[in-house]
Every structure is written in structure tokens, then in C-alpha cells.
Amino acid sequence: MATAQWPWIQGSLPYIGMVSAVVALAVNQIISKMAISSGSSFYMLSVYSNALATLILFPTAYLFHRSKRPPLSFPVLWRIFFLASFGCFADMGSYAGLKYSSPTLSTAMLILVPAFTYVLAIIFRMEEVNFRRFSTIAKSLGTIISISGAFIVTFYNGPAILNTPLSSVSFTKLNVPLPENWVLGGFLFACSSLAVAAWCILQADILKMYPAEMVVVAFYCLFVTIQSSVVTLIAERDVTAWKFETKIGLIAVFYSAILNIAYRLYVTAWCIWKKGPFFVSLFKPLTIVVAVIIGVIFMKEALYLGSVLGALVLIVGFYAVVWGKSKEGKIYNETESSNYQAPLLQEHIEDV
């Protein structure tokens, strides 16, 4: 492959993949909020988007892993089903939180994912903690700095430096509710973030047992569709809710299925296999920065000094953790003889 001739391309793929996944997630939060505000049921968004993603992923998984597909055993399947439980809970919690709050709060609460994942990874001994190493110190301080920067972006405004607001138009466009609902929305997002952290840890364990990312994601989406359908049948008694009355509802389903689920989950699964769950969770706070940029450019929302300062602090923490991870990677490469690398795409697809 071409990446074998330029190793730096292969090394940069996880970073490029996660940045694109972050953009897909941030845009999905905004589109989903618009759909929910227009009257679409968040239960339906979860069911239909996962069902469509399942239809996309299964034939794609068969094509990508046709020649090198390990046998699928029951222990792997029940773990994927368990993984889907965390995913269903996180999906429903995120959509419900959007109903009661806003995409800004949603992206803000994602800053809890690195902290939850780091703690869980330490508990399950998936992350090595040795404060005599600069890499551990850099990761720990970088995580704290990143979270602090994300808090500044979200909770400190300061003076407006671009698109000075003349009214609350930017809020009414998304039908953001009164602030008292943000407590419930924040609680739902916090629960969703904990589920996402557990999801990252469990998926890392599954990929060690069954290193076929696309197949895992396909079965995951199938099980989430089944579980979310059961939840919807119990919670959503209105039959008319199963229909979408507006175009934005259909747009939200197609966007979520293709980019937010099929694409983003596969890229995330591959990055977990390559770099580990903590590396993936580190990119969650960047969603806030992406959401701010999208809001300023496309929705003409005001850009505040706090957003700029918080973004700068977040970036400093981000690079501190990346430096720590890269130092650990060098140590690992020097001490381990295994140099297997998971391909982002199969080197070739068999002729049909």
C-alpha cells in the first residue's frame, strides 16, 4: 500500500479519522436538535437511524472482511449485545437531553467522557499509571487542562468579539427551552457520557477477541435497533410518532445513519483497536470547538472571548495528552516484538 512507503501517513490516520468523527458528531447534534424541535420523536430518530445503518453496514462488512473474517462465536455475540445496551442507553439519553436542552450543553457534557474513560481504563488495567514517567504526568495534566478548557468554552462567555447578538434569535432557531430544563438535560448527558465511557472500554475488549471492526459495528447497530425498538414500543404509545411529518426529521435520520453511526462508529472502532479507548475519548472535548465554529459560521451565533480562550486551553491540553501517548508508543515499540497493525481498510477486496 501507499501508506507503507510513507509511514507518517499511516501514523496520522487515527488523528484524521477522529477529527472527522468529531465533526460528524457535532453536526449530528445540531441537526437532531432541529428535528426534535420540529416535533420528531427522539425515540424514532434512534430506531430508524440505527436500522438504516444496519442495512448499510452488513453488506459493507461482508465486502470488507470477505477474505479475512474470523469465526463469530457466541461469547463475542453476547458481548456485542451487552455493548449495544450501553450504546442504546447513551443514544436515548443523548436524544432526550437534546429535547430538554441544547447542542451546546450536549457537546459540553462530552468533556466527562475522557475522565470517565480514564478512570475505567485504570480500574480495568487498560492504562498504565506511572508518575515517574513524563508520559503519565503529561496525560494526567493534559486531561485536566482539556476538561478545564472545555468548561471555559461552555460556561464562561465574556464579551462578544464576533456576530454581536442583538436579540435571542440564535436560541429561538433551535427552540432551546428555558434554563431550568438544562438541569435535567445535563443529568441525561452525564449519564450518556458514562455509558459512552463504558462503551469504549468494552469495545476495546471485544476487538481483542474479534478484530473485524466492521462486523462488530454491524451487529452492534442491529442489536441497538432491536433494543431501542423495544424501549420505543413501551415509552412511545402514540402511533403517529412513528411517522415523520417534516423533512428535517428524514434528513436527521439519513445523516445520523450514514455519517454519525455507520461512518463514525467504524472509524471509532478502528481507532480504539489502534490507539486504545482513552485516545478515542480524548477527542470528545473537541466537539465543543467544532460546535462553536459551526454556530458562528452557519447559524450566525455570537463568538465570545470565553470560547476563544477555552479553545486555546483545550488545544494545549490536547497536545499534552497526545505527546504522552506518543511517548508511551515509543516505549512500547522498543520493548515489544509484536508490530502488527490493523488496516483501516483491507489491502484488497476479492473479486466477486
Side-chain angles (χ1 to χ4, degrees):
M1 291 181 62
T3 55
Q5 300 176 7
W6 294 284
W8 64 271
I9 297 180
Q10 182 73 20
S12 64
L13 284 177
Y15 299 93
I16 297 173
M18 284 310 304
V19 169
S20 66
V22 162
V23 173
L25 177 60
V27 174
N28 182 73
Q29 296 295 84
I30 294 176
I31 295 177
S32 297
K33 176 61 182 180
M34 295 173 65
I36 294 172
S37 298
S38 68
S40 300
S41 169
F42 65 86
Y43 294 107
M44 296 301 102
L45 290 177
S46 179
V47 173
Y48 287 141
S49 59
N50 279 284
L52 180 57
T54 302
L55 295 177
I56 295 172
L57 285 167
F58 265 106
T60 308
Y62 176 79
L63 186 64
F64 279 4
H65 297 283
R66 184 180 180 186
S67 60
K68 299 178 181 179
R69 186 172 64 250
L72 193 63
S73 62
F74 179 75
V76 173
L77 278 177
W78 79 257
R79 282 175 171 82
I80 298 177
F81 186 86
F82 191 48
L83 178 73
S85 299
F86 286 112
C88 181
F89 183 82
D91 204 29
M92 292 287 189
S94 179
Y95 280 127
L98 279 174
K99 178 180 180 180
Y100 295 110
S101 58
S102 73
T104 301
L105 182 60
S106 171
T107 55
M109 296 307 290
L110 284 173
I111 64 178
L112 295 175
V113 175
F116 286 149
T117 305
Y118 193 36
V119 172
L120 291 176
I122 293 174
I123 293 174
F124 292 102
R125 298 181 179 180
M126 302 181 71
E127 284 286 334
E128 182 181 358
V129 179
N130 185 357
F131 286 102
R132 290 177 295 182
R133 292 180 178 176
F134 285 115
S135 59
T136 299
I137 297 175
K139 283 197 309 179
S140 300
L141 291 179
T143 300
I144 296 173
I145 294 172
S146 295
I147 292 175
S148 300
F151 269 112
I152 294 173
V153 169
T154 307
F155 300 110
Y156 171 69
N157 283 337
I161 59 178
L162 189 63
N163 294 344
T164 302
L166 299 177
S167 64
S168 60
V169 175
S170 61
F171 285 89
T172 57
K173 282 183 180 179
L174 291 180
N175 294 334
V176 177
L178 296 176
E180 56 263 23
N181 288 330
W182 280 43
V183 176
L184 176 58
F187 174 76
L188 291 171
F189 286 134
C191 294
S192 177
S193 295
L194 179 59
V196 171
W199 180 89
C200 289
I201 297 294
L202 181 57
Q203 187 173 35
D205 180 66
I206 292 173
L207 290 174
K208 290 180 181 178
M209 298 177 59
Y210 193 81
E213 300 90 349
M214 188 73 75
V215 176
V216 171
V217 173
F219 275 99
Y220 164 82
C221 289
L222 173 63
F223 292 146
V224 170
T225 301
I226 296 172
Q227 295 176 14
S228 59
S229 298
V230 173
V231 173
T232 302
L233 288 173
I234 297 174
E236 191 65 81
R237 301 299 179 90
D238 187 6
V239 180
T240 59
W242 290 81
K243 299 186 300 182
F244 288 111
E245 303 293 342
T246 60
K247 289 184 178 180
I248 189 63
L250 292 175
I251 293 174
V253 168
F254 277 93
Y255 180 89
S256 179
I258 297 171
L259 291 177
N260 186 55
I261 298 179
Y263 172 77
R264 184 178 64 86
L265 288 186
Y266 172 64
V267 171
T268 301
W270 179 79
C271 289
I272 288 176
W273 170 253
K274 286 284 292 182
K275 292 290 188 177
F278 181 66
F279 173 84
V280 170
S281 68
L282 174 67
F283 284 82
K284 297 297 183 181
L286 289 180
T287 313
I288 301 174
V289 179
V290 176
V292 168
I293 293 174
I294 293 175
V296 169
I297 295 177
F298 297 102
M299 305 187 68
K300 303 302 180 183
E301 293 183 355
L303 177 63
Y304 295 95
L305 178 63
S307 299
V308 176
L309 294 178
L312 293 175
V313 174
L314 193 153
I315 291 172
V316 170
F318 167 75
Y319 281 113
V321 180
V322 170
W323 181 85
K325 293 296 290 184
S326 65
K327 293 291 290 184
E328 284 188 350
K330 291 179 181 178
I331 295 173
Y332 179 83
N333 289 334
E334 291 174 358
T335 56
E336 296 289 334
S337 59
S338 175
N339 60 356
Y340 173 76
Q341 295 182 347
L344 178 58
L345 294 175
Q346 299 297 321
E347 301 220 359
H348 65 277
I349 300 175
E350 287 189 354
D351 294 332
V352 179

